[in-house]
Amino acid sequence: MPTALILGIDGQDGSYLAEWLLGKGYRVVGWTPQNIAVSLSNVAQILEHLTLTSGDLRDFDGLRECLARYQPDEIYHLASPSSPYKSWQATVEVGDIAGLGTARLLEAVRRETPNARFYQASSSELFGDPSEVPQNENTPFRPRNPYGISKLYAHWMTVRYRQHYGLFAVSGILYNHESPRRGMDFVTRKITHTAAQIKLGMAQELRLGNLDARRDWGYAGDYIVAMWQMLQQPEAEDFVIGTGVTHSVRQFCELAFSALGLDYRDFVVQDEQFFRKEDTAQLVADARKAREKLGWRPKVGFESLVHMMVMHDLRILTSPETR
């Protein structure tokens, strides 16, 4: 039975990955951050099958101790601040956790479990204001916010530890991926949850920024499969993962509200305070390498994703626990 360590198991990606790995027969060790209030609701249904631990990406000795204790065969580093916009409010902290935290973890891997296979969660935010559309593994990086800059440091440290020390260390450059487990501070979940509230008479309007901003949106449950596939390859390589198709925030709203029998134009208000400079970036994945080498393709389409999310929010808002 191989052992997988998932840092950030409480999050959207970590929980889907844990389910996937358990189904593959793995022993799954889930790592959550210390001194931060986290919810285990995403893994509640599989909690009894997990081994849980906690730590701090700023604690090098603690990371070494964790690896020495559990001796994982595969390590999935999904633990870091996840909001590009909010990273402007905590630039030093984001750099210390997402950037230097990855370096500490890689060094701990080198010392304690050098034969483990390591996955680093990179992001399309590495491309920032892209020099070409779509973007592939050879597109120059041009991050535009502290989150992207920190992820760039983590990405290059992963590459250099692979090249210098021979670690099996890869980065998955993932584009936006959503699900019913997405945090409420992300625009997709904000839309589906508020649409469900409006349907139930619990809200009257939804205020958003630029409705014409476009994103390459996929389903998180598909993307975690790519993470696993990267660690099963004969050689360690980095991959861009995305659908290659963009949709606007307006289209997302239209689908979410229409699934509930509503017209989004009656409830959505465009508010300039939510406009962001980054909304003009054309981040679109060219995932041909993943298709050719991993055989990876997204299975859940955009319309199905939106429908899945809004129906989930409608269910939780009408459940006895919510009322």
Side-chain angles (χ1 to χ4, degrees), residues 9-10 15 18-19 22 28-32 38-53:
I9 196 169
D10 52 297
S15 62
E19 293 173 356
L22 287 172
V28 177
V29 179
W31 184 100
T32 58
V38 297
S39 169
L40 295 177
S41 60
N42 285 337
V43 291
Q45 69 278 13
I46 57 171
L47 205 53
E48 63 185 70
H49 304 293
L50 304 175
T51 299
L52 296 180
T53 187

Side-chain angles (χ1 to χ4, degrees), residues 80-145:
S80 74
S82 58
S83 172
Y85 177 70
K86 287 186 176 180
S87 69
W88 284 110
Q89 302 166 19
T91 56
V92 175
E93 181 181 10
V94 169
D96 195 12
I97 296 175
L100 287 172
T102 303
R104 294 186 191 100
L105 181 56
L106 283 164
E107 181 60 17
V109 171
R110 183 182 77 84
R111 297 195 191 190
E112 303 295 340
T113 56
N115 294 320
R117 297 193 165 204
F118 178 88
Y119 173 86
Q120 158 62 18
S122 288
S123 165
S124 60
E125 289 293 329
L126 297 182
F127 299 119
D129 185 14
S131 59
E132 60 184 7
V133 179
Q135 299 86 44
N136 59 40
E137 292 80 5
N138 298 313
T139 300
F141 297 131
R142 300 171 61 180
R144 302 179 71 182
N145 52 59

Side-chain angles (χ1 to χ4, degrees), residues 8 117 123 125-126 134 162 192 198 228 301 306 315:
R117 297 193 165 204
S123 165
E125 289 293 329
L126 297 182
R162 176 171 74 225
T192 60
I198 291 172
W228 177 79
V306 177
R315 284 194 300 273

Side-chain angles (χ1 to χ4, degrees), residues 226 229-230 233 239 241 289-296:
Q229 289 175 324
M230 288 180 214
Q233 300 306 299
F239 288 88
I241 303 296
K289 181 181 175 182
R291 290 197 299 272
E292 294 168 3
K293 289 200 169 186
L294 303 179
W296 180 86

Side-chain angles (χ1 to χ4, degrees), residues 13 30 32-33 52 78 106 134 151 180 185 197 214 229 231-232 234 240 257 291:
D13 293 4
T32 58
L52 296 180
L78 314 180
L106 283 164
K151 283 288 190 179
D185 51 343
Q197 287 181 314
R214 303 184 70 86
Q229 289 175 324
L231 295 194
Q232 314 312 309
V240 163
F257 278 84
R291 290 197 299 272

Side-chain angles (χ1 to χ4, degrees), residues 230-251:
M230 288 180 214
L231 295 194
Q232 314 312 309
Q233 300 306 299
E235 296 182 359
E237 297 183 73
D238 305 323
F239 288 88
V240 163
I241 303 296
T243 70
V245 179
T246 65
H247 295 89
S248 67
V249 175
R250 189 184 306 277
Q251 288 173 299

